[in-house]
Amino acid sequence: MAVTLTKGQRVSLDKVAPGLTEVFIGLGWDVKVMDTGFAFDLDASAFMVGSNEKLISDNHFIFYNNLVSPDPNKSVQHTGDNLTGAGDGDDEVIKINLQKVPADVHQIFITVTIHEAAERKQNFGQVQNAFVRVVNAQSNQEVVRYDLVVCQANFAMLNLDINAPFFGEHLWFENPNKH
């Protein structure tokens, strides 16, 4: 059974899904009838950071214009941009092979943003059924979920703490926008 996160909550992936080796981060949303004059385009991204909590290189920022991590194993892969949220289930997916993440990567920050949100005056509260989730890629079982619709922000972040060799020690949702 999946854990549903609340703002600021921390969850040990080792406790809720022991032996986890491959995950995917799924982002989903449905179009809600809102007259902002623009479509809602949510985007999932991954920041692979080192022990200094900084992005290792620009190539370690995985998003719709840089789909694969630079390591030889391609341990983090974005499957592409969905501009509309049309369809059921996950609209954007980031795959992470936890066993192949390089040792110099200590954390992977997963962010969810709304493209041009400030200019379009959009936030997650205007999007229907928006969620981000962590799924065991081998069993296809949802492990952790956070529903974004409870939030009036336009930015959300998950942190996957990769303290080798204990992969996935912590996963939590943080929202830098104080409501």
Side-chain angles (χ1 to χ4, degrees), residues 88-128:
D88 293 333
D90 300 310
D91 296 308
E92 291 196 12
V93 171
I94 297 175
K95 298 176 183 179
I96 303 173
N97 186 323
L98 297 170
Q99 293 183 316
K100 294 183 178 180
V101 172
D104 62 337
V105 176
H106 287 251
Q107 296 180 48
I108 300 174
F109 292 100
I110 305 297
T111 62
V112 178
T113 56
I114 300 174
H115 184 68
E116 297 182 346
E119 297 89 338
R120 296 176 178 184
K121 297 180 177 29
Q122 295 175 337
N123 63 60
F124 292 129
Q126 298 169 315
V127 181
Q128 191 170 4

Side-chain angles (χ1 to χ4, degrees), residues 47-57 60 69-73 75 98 100-108 161-164 167:
F47 293 82
M48 301 171 74
V49 300
S51 60
N52 62 357
E53 296 186 353
K54 294 185 179 184
L55 189 64
I56 295 170
S57 77
H60 288 82
S69 61
D71 57 276
N73 293 315
S75 60
L98 297 170
K100 294 183 178 180
V101 172
D104 62 337
V105 176
H106 287 251
Q107 296 180 48
I108 300 174
D161 195 354
I162 313 277
N163 285 322
F167 296 115

